Tab-separated table of all heavy atoms in Angstrom:
chain	number	residue	atom	x	y	z
Z	407	ARG	N	100.535	80.139	113.961
Z	407	ARG	CA	99.575	80.623	114.958
Z	407	ARG	C	99.804	79.948	116.310
Z	407	ARG	O	99.693	80.579	117.358
Z	407	ARG	CB	98.143	80.353	114.478
Z	407	ARG	CG	97.686	81.229	113.333
Z	407	ARG	CD	96.186	81.132	113.119
Z	407	ARG	NE	95.770	79.753	112.794
Z	407	ARG	CZ	95.666	79.298	111.553
Z	407	ARG	NH1	95.964	80.085	110.519
Z	407	ARG	NH2	95.280	78.057	111.335
Z	408	GLN	N	100.128	78.658	116.267
Z	408	GLN	CA	100.330	77.911	117.508
Z	408	GLN	C	101.609	78.337	118.225
Z	408	GLN	O	101.654	78.364	119.464
Z	408	GLN	CB	100.381	76.408	117.196
Z	408	GLN	CG	100.429	75.519	118.427
Z	408	GLN	CD	100.427	74.037	118.041
Z	408	GLN	OE1	100.316	73.696	116.868
Z	408	GLN	NE2	100.532	73.165	119.036
Z	409	PHE	N	102.630	78.695	117.455
Z	409	PHE	CA	103.931	79.070	118.044
Z	409	PHE	C	104.386	80.407	117.451
Z	409	PHE	O	105.318	80.466	116.635
Z	409	PHE	CB	104.975	77.990	117.760
Z	409	PHE	CG	104.578	76.611	118.214
Z	409	PHE	CD1	104.109	75.674	117.304
Z	409	PHE	CD2	104.665	76.264	119.556
Z	409	PHE	CE1	103.746	74.413	117.718
Z	409	PHE	CE2	104.299	74.986	119.979
Z	409	PHE	CZ	103.831	74.064	119.064
Z	410	PRO	N	103.761	81.487	117.836
Z	410	PRO	CA	104.064	82.793	117.207
Z	410	PRO	C	105.468	83.313	117.487
Z	410	PRO	O	105.962	84.172	116.750
Z	410	PRO	CB	103.000	83.718	117.802
Z	410	PRO	CG	102.596	83.063	119.079
Z	410	PRO	CD	102.707	81.593	118.841
Z	411	GLU	N	106.115	82.800	118.536
Z	411	GLU	CA	107.456	83.282	118.867
Z	411	GLU	C	108.563	82.387	118.308
Z	411	GLU	O	109.744	82.650	118.556
Z	411	GLU	CB	107.604	83.353	120.399
Z	411	GLU	CG	106.595	84.267	121.077
Z	411	GLU	CD	106.674	85.693	120.556
Z	411	GLU	OE1	107.820	86.191	120.390
Z	411	GLU	OE2	105.620	86.293	120.289
Z	412	ASP	N	108.188	81.366	117.599
Z	412	ASP	CA	109.182	80.429	117.057
Z	412	ASP	C	109.534	80.845	115.631
Z	412	ASP	O	108.685	80.805	114.730
Z	412	ASP	CB	108.627	79.005	117.070
Z	412	ASP	CG	109.703	77.962	116.777
Z	412	ASP	OD1	110.693	78.300	116.106
Z	412	ASP	OD2	109.537	76.804	117.205
Z	413	PRO	N	110.795	81.217	115.376
Z	413	PRO	CA	111.170	81.702	114.030
Z	413	PRO	C	111.106	80.621	112.952
Z	413	PRO	O	111.033	80.936	111.760
Z	413	PRO	CB	112.606	82.193	114.226
Z	413	PRO	CG	113.125	81.427	115.394
Z	413	PRO	CD	111.945	81.244	116.307
Z	414	ARG	N	111.137	79.343	113.355
Z	414	ARG	CA	111.122	78.280	112.343
Z	414	ARG	C	109.907	78.385	111.433
Z	414	ARG	O	110.009	78.200	110.213
Z	414	ARG	CB	111.121	76.902	113.025
Z	414	ARG	CG	112.446	76.500	113.635
Z	414	ARG	CD	112.304	75.118	114.245
Z	414	ARG	NE	111.304	75.109	115.318
Z	414	ARG	CZ	110.857	73.995	115.902
Z	414	ARG	NH1	111.300	72.809	115.492
Z	414	ARG	NH2	109.969	74.054	116.884
Z	415	TRP	N	108.763	78.670	112.024
Z	415	TRP	CA	107.549	78.639	111.219
Z	415	TRP	C	107.423	79.884	110.345
Z	415	TRP	O	106.808	79.840	109.287
Z	415	TRP	CB	106.333	78.450	112.120
Z	415	TRP	CG	106.574	77.313	113.077
Z	415	TRP	CD1	106.533	77.351	114.441
Z	415	TRP	CD2	106.944	75.973	112.724
Z	415	TRP	NE1	106.854	76.131	114.966
Z	415	TRP	CE2	107.109	75.259	113.936
Z	415	TRP	CE3	107.158	75.318	111.519
Z	415	TRP	CZ2	107.470	73.922	113.964
Z	415	TRP	CZ3	107.526	73.976	111.539
Z	415	TRP	CH2	107.674	73.299	112.754
Z	416	GLN	N	108.049	80.968	110.767
Z	416	GLN	CA	108.118	82.146	109.899
Z	416	GLN	C	108.985	81.839	108.675
Z	416	GLN	O	108.663	82.240	107.550
Z	416	GLN	CB	108.689	83.350	110.663
Z	416	GLN	CG	107.973	83.683	111.964
Z	416	GLN	CD	106.504	84.008	111.749
Z	416	GLN	OE1	106.122	84.629	110.750
Z	416	GLN	NE2	105.657	83.601	112.699
Z	417	MET	N	110.073	81.109	108.918
Z	417	MET	CA	110.943	80.740	107.790
Z	417	MET	C	110.226	79.775	106.844
Z	417	MET	O	110.353	79.880	105.618
Z	417	MET	CB	112.245	80.108	108.305
Z	417	MET	CG	113.162	81.093	109.014
Z	417	MET	SD	114.821	80.411	109.319
Z	417	MET	CE	114.441	79.120	110.514
Z	418	GLU	N	109.481	78.821	107.412
Z	418	GLU	CA	108.753	77.883	106.556
Z	418	GLU	C	107.658	78.611	105.759
Z	418	GLU	O	107.412	78.283	104.599
Z	418	GLU	CB	108.135	76.764	107.398
Z	418	GLU	CG	109.145	75.860	108.095
Z	418	GLU	CD	109.989	75.047	107.129
Z	418	GLU	OE1	109.779	75.135	105.898
Z	418	GLU	OE2	110.879	74.327	107.608
Z	419	MET	N	107.038	79.593	106.380
Z	419	MET	CA	106.068	80.403	105.640
Z	419	MET	C	106.754	81.137	104.502
Z	419	MET	O	106.239	81.225	103.376
Z	419	MET	CB	105.409	81.398	106.598
Z	419	MET	CG	104.480	80.771	107.632
Z	419	MET	SD	102.895	80.276	106.931
Z	419	MET	CE	102.142	81.888	106.660
Z	420	ALA	N	107.948	81.656	104.791
Z	420	ALA	CA	108.703	82.370	103.758
Z	420	ALA	C	109.024	81.454	102.585
Z	420	ALA	O	108.826	81.813	101.410
Z	420	ALA	CB	109.989	82.933	104.358
Z	421	GLU	N	109.547	80.253	102.883
Z	421	GLU	CA	109.904	79.320	101.819
Z	421	GLU	C	108.674	78.896	101.014
Z	421	GLU	O	108.750	78.703	99.791
Z	421	GLU	CB	110.592	78.090	102.416
Z	421	GLU	CG	111.933	78.372	103.097
Z	421	GLU	CD	113.024	78.747	102.110
Z	421	GLU	OE1	112.853	78.500	100.894
Z	421	GLU	OE2	114.066	79.278	102.553
Z	422	THR	N	107.543	78.768	101.692
Z	422	THR	CA	106.317	78.347	101.004
Z	422	THR	C	105.803	79.444	100.081
Z	422	THR	O	105.436	79.188	98.924
Z	422	THR	CB	105.242	77.961	102.031
Z	422	THR	OG1	105.767	76.939	102.893
Z	422	THR	CG2	103.997	77.436	101.343
Z	423	TYR	N	105.778	80.683	100.576
Z	423	TYR	CA	105.338	81.794	99.718
Z	423	TYR	C	106.298	81.995	98.543
Z	423	TYR	O	105.862	82.306	97.421
Z	423	TYR	CB	105.211	83.078	100.526
Z	423	TYR	CG	103.880	83.211	101.230
Z	423	TYR	CD1	103.793	83.239	102.621
Z	423	TYR	CD2	102.698	83.316	100.496
Z	423	TYR	CE1	102.561	83.353	103.265
Z	423	TYR	CE2	101.465	83.430	101.129
Z	423	TYR	CZ	101.402	83.443	102.513
Z	423	TYR	OH	100.183	83.545	103.135
Z	424	ALA	N	107.607	81.802	98.781
Z	424	ALA	CA	108.566	81.927	97.680
Z	424	ALA	C	108.305	80.858	96.626
Z	424	ALA	O	108.362	81.127	95.423
Z	424	ALA	CB	109.989	81.813	98.210
Z	425	ALA	N	108.006	79.628	97.078
Z	425	ALA	CA	107.693	78.560	96.129
Z	425	ALA	C	106.418	78.857	95.352
Z	425	ALA	O	106.252	78.391	94.222
Z	425	ALA	CB	107.565	77.237	96.880
Z	426	MET	N	105.515	79.645	95.943
Z	426	MET	CA	104.283	80.025	95.260
Z	426	MET	C	104.483	81.225	94.352
Z	426	MET	O	103.565	81.640	93.644
Z	426	MET	CB	103.199	80.326	96.299
Z	426	MET	CG	102.771	79.099	97.093
Z	426	MET	SD	101.715	79.498	98.520
Z	426	MET	CE	100.275	80.202	97.705
Z	427	GLY	N	105.700	81.824	94.393
Z	427	GLY	CA	106.023	82.938	93.504
Z	427	GLY	C	105.993	84.301	94.143
Z	427	GLY	O	106.309	85.299	93.484
Z	428	ASP	N	105.646	84.384	95.427
Z	428	ASP	CA	105.565	85.687	96.102
Z	428	ASP	C	106.835	85.895	96.927
Z	428	ASP	O	106.855	85.732	98.153
Z	428	ASP	CB	104.325	85.734	96.998
Z	428	ASP	CG	103.984	87.167	97.427
Z	428	ASP	OD1	104.881	88.031	97.365
Z	428	ASP	OD2	102.835	87.407	97.836
Z	429	VAL	N	107.934	86.267	96.260
Z	429	VAL	CA	109.225	86.409	96.922
Z	429	VAL	C	109.229	87.615	97.860
Z	429	VAL	O	109.842	87.582	98.934
Z	429	VAL	CB	110.348	86.533	95.881
Z	429	VAL	CG1	111.693	86.749	96.557
Z	429	VAL	CG2	110.396	85.279	95.006
Z	430	ALA	N	108.532	88.689	97.489
Z	430	ALA	CA	108.500	89.881	98.337
Z	430	ALA	C	107.893	89.564	99.706
Z	430	ALA	O	108.414	89.975	100.752
Z	430	ALA	CB	107.703	90.996	97.654
Z	431	LEU	N	106.792	88.819	99.708
Z	431	LEU	CA	106.175	88.432	100.971
Z	431	LEU	C	107.090	87.478	101.743
Z	431	LEU	O	107.172	87.541	102.981
Z	431	LEU	CB	104.817	87.781	100.726
Z	431	LEU	CG	103.990	87.422	101.971
Z	431	LEU	CD1	103.798	88.629	102.881
Z	431	LEU	CD2	102.641	86.847	101.552
Z	432	ALA	N	107.785	86.636	101.013
Z	432	ALA	CA	108.729	85.716	101.656
Z	432	ALA	C	109.823	86.486	102.381
Z	432	ALA	O	110.215	86.121	103.497
Z	432	ALA	CB	109.334	84.793	100.614
Z	433	VAL	N	110.331	87.564	101.787
Z	433	VAL	CA	111.351	88.384	102.440
Z	433	VAL	C	110.812	88.951	103.748
Z	433	VAL	O	111.516	88.980	104.773
Z	433	VAL	CB	111.820	89.509	101.495
Z	433	VAL	CG1	112.685	90.518	102.246
Z	433	VAL	CG2	112.587	88.932	100.312
Z	434	ASN	N	109.559	89.389	103.740
Z	434	ASN	CA	108.960	89.911	104.971
Z	434	ASN	C	108.949	88.866	106.077
Z	434	ASN	O	109.239	89.165	107.243
Z	434	ASN	CB	107.537	90.399	104.704
Z	434	ASN	CG	107.505	91.658	103.873
Z	434	ASN	OD1	108.489	92.400	103.815
Z	434	ASN	ND2	106.393	91.908	103.191
Z	435	TYR	N	108.607	87.642	105.725
Z	435	TYR	CA	108.582	86.579	106.732
Z	435	TYR	C	109.977	86.290	107.263
Z	435	TYR	O	110.162	86.009	108.449
Z	435	TYR	CB	107.942	85.316	106.147
Z	435	TYR	CG	106.443	85.303	106.279
Z	435	TYR	CD1	105.620	85.626	105.198
Z	435	TYR	CD2	105.837	84.990	107.498
Z	435	TYR	CE1	104.240	85.627	105.319
Z	435	TYR	CE2	104.457	84.994	107.627
Z	435	TYR	CZ	103.658	85.306	106.535
Z	435	TYR	OH	102.286	85.321	106.672
Z	436	TYR	N	111.006	86.334	106.402
Z	436	TYR	CA	112.379	86.144	106.890
Z	436	TYR	C	112.794	87.302	107.801
Z	436	TYR	O	113.490	87.097	108.812
Z	436	TYR	CB	113.361	85.989	105.730
Z	436	TYR	CG	113.711	84.543	105.471
Z	436	TYR	CD1	113.319	83.913	104.299
Z	436	TYR	CD2	114.423	83.797	106.407
Z	436	TYR	CE1	113.621	82.580	104.066
Z	436	TYR	CE2	114.729	82.470	106.179
Z	436	TYR	CZ	114.324	81.857	105.008
Z	436	TYR	OH	114.618	80.542	104.797
Z	437	ASP	N	112.362	88.503	107.467
Z	437	ASP	CA	112.657	89.639	108.350
Z	437	ASP	C	112.032	89.430	109.724
Z	437	ASP	O	112.649	89.731	110.756
Z	437	ASP	CB	112.147	90.941	107.719
Z	437	ASP	CG	113.002	91.400	106.548
Z	437	ASP	OD1	114.183	90.988	106.483
Z	437	ASP	OD2	112.500	92.162	105.697
Z	438	TRP	N	110.812	88.882	109.749
Z	438	TRP	CA	110.165	88.604	111.030
Z	438	TRP	C	110.913	87.502	111.777
Z	438	TRP	O	111.038	87.536	112.997
Z	438	TRP	CB	108.702	88.185	110.806
Z	438	TRP	CG	107.861	89.281	110.235
Z	438	TRP	CD1	108.084	90.619	110.342
Z	438	TRP	CD2	106.683	89.133	109.437
Z	438	TRP	NE1	107.122	91.328	109.667
Z	438	TRP	CE2	106.240	90.445	109.107
Z	438	TRP	CE3	105.949	88.039	108.977
Z	438	TRP	CZ2	105.102	90.669	108.341
Z	438	TRP	CZ3	104.811	88.261	108.214
Z	438	TRP	CH2	104.401	89.571	107.906
Z	439	ALA	N	111.407	86.513	111.049
Z	439	ALA	CA	112.124	85.411	111.686
Z	439	ALA	C	113.400	85.905	112.378
Z	439	ALA	O	113.672	85.542	113.531
Z	439	ALA	CB	112.471	84.325	110.663
Z	440	VAL	N	114.194	86.735	111.703
Z	440	VAL	CA	115.433	87.203	112.327
Z	440	VAL	C	115.135	88.202	113.435
Z	440	VAL	O	115.917	88.340	114.384
Z	440	VAL	CB	116.390	87.818	111.279
Z	440	VAL	CG1	116.854	86.753	110.291
Z	440	VAL	CG2	115.768	88.992	110.552
Z	441	ALA	N	113.989	88.887	113.346
Z	441	ALA	CA	113.602	89.776	114.443
Z	441	ALA	C	113.244	88.967	115.689
Z	441	ALA	O	113.516	89.401	116.821
Z	441	ALA	CB	112.424	90.649	114.024
Z	442	LEU	N	112.661	87.796	115.504
Z	442	LEU	CA	112.317	86.926	116.637
Z	442	LEU	C	113.554	86.281	117.249
Z	442	LEU	O	113.576	86.002	118.460
Z	442	LEU	CB	111.362	85.825	116.184
Z	442	LEU	CG	109.912	86.236	115.904
Z	442	LEU	CD1	109.151	85.084	115.250
Z	442	LEU	CD2	109.218	86.677	117.190
Z	443	ALA	N	114.592	86.019	116.451
Z	443	ALA	CA	115.785	85.325	116.955
Z	443	ALA	C	117.046	85.975	116.403
Z	443	ALA	O	117.763	85.375	115.592
Z	443	ALA	CB	115.720	83.851	116.568
Side-chain angles (χ1 to χ4, degrees):
R407 288 193 299 268
Q408 187 178 356
F409 305 102
E411 301 302 317
D412 191 334
R414 286 181 298 171
W415 311 123
Q416 306 300 323
M417 291 191 293
E418 295 295 358
M419 291 284 288
E421 296 290 344
T422 304
Y423 275 116
M426 294 170 63
D428 195 340
V429 177
L431 185 54
V433 170
N434 290 338
Y435 273 101
Y436 260 113
D437 287 338
W438 295 335
V440 295
L442 286 171

